[in-house]
Amino acid sequence: MTIIRTFIALASIREWPIWQMDVKNAFLNCELQVYMYQPPGFVSEDTSFKYTLDLVSNAHLNEANVVDTPMEVNVKLYAQAGDPLLKPPMYRKLVGSLIYFIVTRPDIAYDVHVVSQFVSNPRRLHLSAVNRILRYVRGTSIRGLFFDSTSSLDLSAYADADWASDPDTCRFTTGYCVFLGSSLISWKSKKHDIVSK
């Protein structure tokens, strides 16, 4: 996805036209000449919005109040805190959907990273954190990545670490983001395997 976002940012700056097509694997080894036009009267819709509504609906949060932040400030989630969930597959499905969602929503990447650590044994508190992320996403459903056509081609990167913030293992989490001009093209949040002293 980083390569795709880089290409989109570059195409935006250079004002190149972009065409997207989906080719199934069966056609990889044959001569392919397929042309398809949008049917008359068809209006394209923003599918990221259509995806947000489905995700919120699956969690039964259509009527829930929206929140301003994806996670409460200074909240630590512990692996064994609270009662176990009676239906863990639902938690796993929601977290998996959010992982897919962060391809275009870097603002929830860290929070999804946190809740994804508990998919093997989720608790009610963990589900509450997932529901808060979904309530935030519902209130910010029109947000996405912006690729500025007047941007420069300067590459810049930023990184940070939180030093032993995990309450269960004392491992630290690092994160980074990379910009091509003013366009965000890559980001990551990762908990390390070692304890730093």
Side-chain angles (χ1 to χ4, degrees):
M1 290 307 299
T2 300
I3 294 170
I4 292 171
R5 286 188 292 263
T6 303
F7 177 75
I8 293 171
L10 187 60
S12 175
I13 294 167
R14 300 284 190 199
E15 298 182 1
W16 294 339
I18 298 176
W19 291 277
Q20 177 188 353
M21 62 182 290
D22 188 13
V23 178
K24 300 294 182 189
N25 291 338
F27 299 113
L28 287 179
N29 297 317
C30 69
E31 190 173 320
L32 182 64
Q33 293 183 355
V34 177
Y35 301 93
M36 185 174 186
Y37 295 96
Q38 191 165 288
F42 179 81
V43 177
S44 176
E45 296 181 5
D46 184 2
T47 57
S48 65
F49 181 70
K50 300 307 268 168
Y51 186 77
T52 303
L53 293 179
D54 288 344
L55 189 56
V56 170
S57 178
N58 287 341
H60 308 292
L61 295 172
N62 291 333
E63 303 300 321
N65 293 333
V66 297
V67 292
D68 293 333
T69 58
M71 192 171 277
E72 292 183 40
V73 180
N74 297 324
V75 167
K76 302 276 187 192
L77 295 176
Y78 295 87
Q80 301 299 323
D83 298 328
L85 280 180
L86 299 177
K87 297 180 180 178
M90 182 57 158
Y91 179 87
R92 294 178 187 124
K93 180 180 177 182
L94 291 173
V95 171
S97 298
L98 285 170
I99 289 171
Y100 172 76
F101 201 61
I102 63 173
V103 170
T104 58
R105 293 292 302 266
D107 54 333
I108 61 170
Y110 173 75
D111 309 298
V112 173
H113 156 78
V114 170
V115 297
S116 67
Q117 298 175 60
F118 309 111
V119 292
S120 62
N121 189 17
R123 306 289 176 139
R124 288 184 193 220
L125 290 173
H126 305 149
L127 182 60
S128 295
V130 169
N131 287 342
R132 182 177 175 97
I133 296 170
L134 291 171
R135 289 167 49 210
Y136 169 78
V137 165
R138 181 172 160 251
T140 58
S141 60
I142 60 170
R143 289 191 183 167
L145 295 176
F146 177 71
F147 297 98
D148 189 0
S149 63
T150 62
S151 179
S152 69
L153 289 175
D154 296 332
L155 192 65
S156 56
Y158 303 90
D160 196 9
D162 66 0
W163 306 115
S165 69
D166 187 292
D168 292 316
T169 64
C170 291
R171 294 178 186 166
F172 67 99
T173 301
T174 58
Y176 69 82
C177 57
V178 180
F179 290 85
L180 181 61
S182 61
S183 301
L184 182 60
I185 57 171
S186 182
W187 59 88
K188 187 171 187 175
S189 175
K190 177 180 175 30
K191 183 166 71 170
H192 287 260
D193 297 330
I194 58 172
V195 176
S196 186
K197 295 186 177 181

